[in-house]
Amino acid sequence: MMFIKKYFQDLLFLLFPESCHGCGEVLGNNEALVCTKCRLTIPETDLHTTPNDNELVRKFWGKVPVRYGFAYCYFNKGGCVQQLLHALKYEGAESLSSMFGYWYGSQLRQEFEGQFDLVVPVPIHPVKRRRRGYNQCDGFALGLSEILEVNCDVNLLKKVSHTESQTKKSRMARFENMEDAFSVDSAVELRGLRVLLVDDVVTTGATLEACIKVLVSKGCKEVSIATIALPR
Ligand SMILES: [Zn+2]
């Protein structure tokens, strides 16, 4: 049933490109990308109202220092958010990412404007990026940076290729090396900066943790995190 529904949604989208990425309905004149009905069903987390102590920040306690933890919405299997993230990652709907950034940026602005020096997205592997055509986190980072009036550097963090560096390593060494999967150009100066690190979905937090370690090792004063969605 889900499959048939999805099939008709895709078909509708082909016939009517101005359709909602959540439900496939044709958008009204004042709507873009997502219809008002879908937007109202998005379960927002409100984590930013308790930014120092919430379910996202707690994932990192005892591992790496995190100043604030923000997530725009909860992710339910089969819900509207799952459909939107699928469209963002696999159907070329890149603009959804910046739209999430604008929406959440507007909520964060009053309380957190002036609290960050740089917004940085988690990178994806260059091969994946070439295949998809974009990093699905970049728009969210750029949208937030625009609303919060902070600089954004989408090329700061690099995802290191595993295929070249790990083929000769033992299985255990490969596993340990997962933590070293990200890097920053050695010439880049981050000392004293307050960074807002951005990802699309956080599950275990291992990816963000690895990125935070790199940023801290480069001298960042503090790192906060913002994700589009948080599974529950
Ligand atoms: Zn809709």
Side-chain angles (χ1 to χ4, degrees):
M1 193 60 198
M2 263 307 276
F3 176 77
I4 295 169
K5 193 176 155 217
K6 177 80 186 60
Y7 176 80
F8 278 111
Q9 276 182 14
D10 289 349
L11 196 66
L12 272 171
F13 199 79
L14 282 175
L15 295 170
F16 306 99
E18 296 302 307
S19 306
C20 169
H21 284 285
C23 66
E25 293 284 324
V26 178
L27 291 171
N29 287 336
N30 300 319
E31 296 171 337
L33 301 169
V34 179
C35 74
T36 312
K37 210 169 122 197
C38 282
R39 186 173 174 185
L40 291 173
T41 67
I42 293 176
E44 295 181 347
T45 68
D46 289 328
L47 289 194
H48 58 280
T49 57
T50 52
N52 309 101
D53 180 4
N54 56 50
E55 58 199 287
L56 178 57
V57 170
R58 274 181 230 132
K59 281 178 188 280
F60 302 93
W61 282 2
K63 294 174 183 165
V64 283
V66 172
R67 175 87 197 272
Y68 299 134
F70 309 117
Y72 172 59
C73 60
Y74 287 110
F75 175 102
N76 289 325
K77 271 218 154 70
C80 173
V81 176
Q82 184 182 23
Q83 175 54 38
L84 294 176
L85 289 175
H86 190 274
L88 167 61
K89 279 177 92 164
Y90 306 109
E91 295 165 11
E94 185 183 3
S95 325
L96 281 173
S97 190
S98 41
M99 187 202 61
F100 284 126
Y102 293 139
W103 285 353
Y104 203 28
S106 309
Q107 293 185 19
L108 298 177
R109 186 173 179 158
Q110 200 179 2
E111 193 76 22
F112 300 99
E113 198 175 11
Q115 301 230 25
F116 311 107
D117 303 303
L118 187 64
V119 183
V120 174
V122 169
I124 57 173
H125 195 281
V127 173
K128 218 183 238 181
R129 198 199 158 96
R130 233 169 291 138
R131 209 176 295 146
R132 188 172 295 154
Y134 55 88
N135 173 359
Q136 72 277 6
C137 306
D138 284 1
F140 188 54
L142 288 162
L144 285 171
S145 79
E146 200 178 315
I147 303 283
L148 297 172
E149 297 184 45
V150 188
N151 287 331
C152 180
D153 188 346
V154 296
N155 298 311
L156 184 90
L157 280 167
K158 305 260 190 276
K159 177 110 183 171
V160 181
S161 170
H162 285 103
T163 42
E164 294 156 293
S165 62
Q166 302 211 352
T167 40
K168 289 187 188 123
K169 292 199 175 88
S170 71
R171 194 163 165 268
M172 194 56 204
R174 270 206 302 274
F175 181 71
E176 283 171 351
N177 208 43
M178 278 302 283
E179 289 208 340
D180 301 315
F182 300 94
S183 70
V184 173
D185 195 323
S186 57
V188 173
E189 186 53 65
L190 297 174
R191 203 152 292 282
L193 293 189
R194 300 163 302 169
V195 172
L196 180 60
L197 177 65
V198 166
D199 205 356
D200 53 350
V201 183
V202 57
T203 47
T204 63
T207 300
L208 283 164
E209 189 186 328
C211 291
I212 292 167
K213 280 182 180 162
V214 173
L215 293 170
V216 169
S217 75
K218 292 291 288 179
C220 285
K221 187 177 161 199
E222 59 188 45
V223 181
S224 297
I225 48 184
T227 70
I228 298 174
L230 182 67
R232 65 167 164 197

